[in-house]
């Protein structure tokens, strides 16, 4: 019972941060919902460690622990509650573990936008390989990179834009970086339906951020979310 409660707490933490999912999961087969949310919650754990503000040692230790945990999943051993759902999937957990240190490097402002994408691309490739087994589909590695960088800027408020972003004021440079990320967002129609949903929600948040001039805005109505979710899952 305790283990089940711990798993639920991780799944619910992700759902709370992405309330759009409560609408979109209507179009997801019930037997796939827990698997998808567990995988997304794991991704969020990685990104939270990247987006730490202040002292980084605890986050570094957390990523190191996750590296060990993923190596254990490759040998069909797990300690974390998310492993109850994900470890039985025979994915490249070792390759993903080896890519986690790149998240530490990504905390520093990149010299250019191209460098920001390039330094996280091996991690994105590892994520894409695992997701193609966990959820199916053919997700673009760049999708993981751009989404992680977008959420770092919007949610964490700790990311300095790459040094090639023009402007003297932080707000203007962040807006320029957000626009660059929006333009770099890859197509995701070949990804699994669950990824298409989350990617569309994340891109929509970034788009609203840009349209509002660098400010966060409220979510659209449930009806608009419902229609948008239907287009992603049913319409492809």
């Amino acid at each position: 019972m305790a283990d089940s409660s711990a798993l639920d707490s991780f799944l619910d933490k992700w759902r709370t941060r992405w309330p759009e999912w409560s609408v979109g999961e209507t179009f997801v087969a019930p037997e796939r919902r827990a698997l998808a949310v567990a995988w997304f919650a794991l991704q969020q754990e990685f990104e939270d460690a990247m987006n730490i503000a202040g002292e980084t040692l605890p986050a570094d230790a957390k990523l190191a622990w996750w590296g060990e945990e993923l190596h254990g999943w490759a040998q069909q051993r797990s300690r974390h509650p998310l492993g109850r759902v994900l470890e039985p999937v025979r994915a490249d957990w070792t390759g993903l573990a080896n890519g986690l240190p790149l998240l530490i490097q990504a905390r520093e402002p990149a010299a250019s936008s191209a460098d920001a994408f390039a330094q996280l691309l091996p991690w994105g490739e590892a994520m894409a390989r695992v997701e193609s087994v966990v959820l199916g589909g053919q997700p673009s590695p760049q999708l993981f990179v751009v989404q992680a960088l977008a959420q770092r800027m919007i949610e964490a408020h700790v990311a300095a834009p790459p040094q090639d972003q023009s402007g003297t004021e932080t707000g203007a440079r962040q807006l320029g970086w957000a626009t660059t990320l929006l333009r770099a967002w890859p197509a995701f129609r070949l990804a699994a339906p669950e990824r298409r949903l989350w990617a569309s929600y994340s891109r929509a948040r970034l788009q609203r951020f840009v349209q509002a001039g660098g400010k966060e805005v409220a979510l659209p109505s449930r009806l608009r979310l419902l229609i948008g979710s239907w287009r992603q899952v049913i319409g492809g």
Side-chain angles (χ1 to χ4, degrees):
M1 179 65 70
D3 193 31
S4 178
S5 298
L7 173 61
D8 289 342
S9 70
F10 279 97
L11 302 184
D12 289 343
K13 183 172 69 170
W14 184 86
R15 292 189 184 102
T16 298
R17 294 173 71 163
W18 293 91
E20 301 98 316
W21 183 258
S22 66
V23 177
E25 70 174 357
T26 303
F27 303 106
V28 176
E31 64 271 16
R32 287 177 60 91
R33 292 174 187 172
L35 177 66
V37 175
W39 170 237
F40 295 159
L42 180 64
Q43 179 179 337
Q44 194 72 66
E45 288 292 304
F46 299 156
E47 293 179 9
D48 285 349
M50 177 176 71
N51 295 335
I52 192 70
E55 176 56 57
T56 61
L57 286 178
D60 293 349
K62 183 176 182 179
L63 280 176
W65 186 91
W66 270 116
E68 294 177 359
E69 178 72 357
L70 293 177
H71 282 298
W73 290 8
Q75 300 174 29
Q76 297 183 284
R77 300 193 312 266
S78 64
R79 295 169 293 176
H80 195 278
L82 292 175
R84 289 182 50 204
V85 181
L86 295 171
E87 177 267 308
V89 180
R90 297 295 87 211
D92 184 13
W93 299 117
T94 298
L96 183 53
N98 294 337
L100 293 184
L102 295 173
L103 299 175
I104 296 176
Q105 300 175 24
R107 294 184 190 137
E108 297 299 322
S112 68
S113 302
D115 287 343
F117 297 137
Q119 68 181 357
L120 273 180
L121 185 58
W123 172 77
E125 291 171 341
M127 291 288 291
R129 284 196 302 272
V130 172
E131 179 163 302
S132 67
V133 178
V134 174
L135 298 180
Q138 301 175 36
S140 166
Q142 186 175 342
L143 179 59
F144 297 92
V145 174
V146 175
Q147 181 171 328
L149 292 172
Q151 293 309 123
R152 175 170 170 77
M153 184 191 62
I154 294 176
E155 290 189 356
H157 303 291
V158 297
Q163 297 174 21
D164 66 346
Q165 293 296 315
S166 61
T168 56
E169 296 184 1
T170 301
R173 296 178 69 241
Q174 286 183 330
L175 184 58
W177 179 222
T179 302
T180 298
L181 290 169
L182 195 59
R183 291 171 178 167
W185 206 285
F188 45 86
R189 64 183 181 84
L190 296 181
E194 298 84 2
R195 171 58 63 181
R196 297 202 300 269
L197 282 173
W198 191 17
S200 68
Y201 299 150
S202 183
R203 188 183 187 282
R205 287 190 182 187
L206 181 63
Q207 189 167 30
R208 291 193 296 271
F209 181 86
V210 170
Q211 291 173 342
K215 299 179 182 178
E216 295 183 56
V217 295
L219 293 177
S221 67
R222 290 185 64 86
L223 178 59
R224 289 185 62 186
L225 285 172
L226 188 68
I227 294 173
S229 299
W230 178 84
R231 287 174 176 169
Q232 288 300 327
V233 176
I234 306 300

